[in-house]
Amino acid sequence: MPQPFAALETRLNQAVFKHVVNAAASAYTAHGQIVEFDVIFDSAYGMHLGGLVGDTSPQAQCKTADVADLTWDSGITVAGIAYSVASARPDGMGLTTLTLREV
C-alpha cells in the first residue's frame, strides 16, 4: 500500500533543510564508509544536574535517513569540529536530534 504521507513528509523535510541548514557534517557508517550531510547545528548553553552545573550541549538536527547508522559514541564532525554522539532522538517525522559531546 502506498504511503502518501511519507512522501509528503520527505518533501517537506527536504524543503525546510534547503533553507535552514547552517553546517555541514560527516560521519562514518557502520560499514566504514564516510557520509556527508547537512545539519541544523546549535551549540546552546544548557543547565545540568538540576540547574547546579551549566555546560554547552551541542545539538545537530538531521534528516533521520542521513544518520540511521549512527549510535551512541559514534564519531561525527560538524563544521570541522570532532564530536561523539551522546544521544540520538528520532522524532518519528523524519528528523533526528543528535546531542553531541566534543572529543
Side-chain angles (χ1 to χ4, degrees):
M1 175 191 284
Q3 301 278 337
F5 181 74
L8 176 62
E9 180 180 276
T10 300
R11 286 195 312 271
L12 178 62
N13 287 341
Q14 288 173 341
V16 168
F17 263 71
K18 182 178 178 182
H19 294 286
V20 298
V21 296
N22 62 359
S26 62
Y28 284 96
T29 67
H31 305 292
Q33 297 174 318
I34 194 162
V35 291
E36 296 179 351
F37 48 95
D38 293 324
V39 299
I40 302 168
F41 183 70
D42 180 20
S43 60
Y45 184 81
M47 298 301 289
H48 302 282
L49 298 174
L52 297 174
V53 178
D55 192 11
T56 58
S57 298
Q59 294 186 337
Q61 222 174 13
C62 332
K63 290 186 257 180
T64 300
D66 291 340
V67 296
D69 285 342
L70 296 184
T71 59
W72 177 84
D73 211 33
S74 292
I76 181 172
T77 302
V78 179
I81 300 172
Y83 296 93
S84 64
V85 176
S87 71
R89 293 184 317 272
D91 69 358
M93 300 295 282
L95 299 178
T96 295
T97 300
L98 301 175
T99 301
L100 309 172
R101 61 178 177 262
E102 204 168 332
V103 287

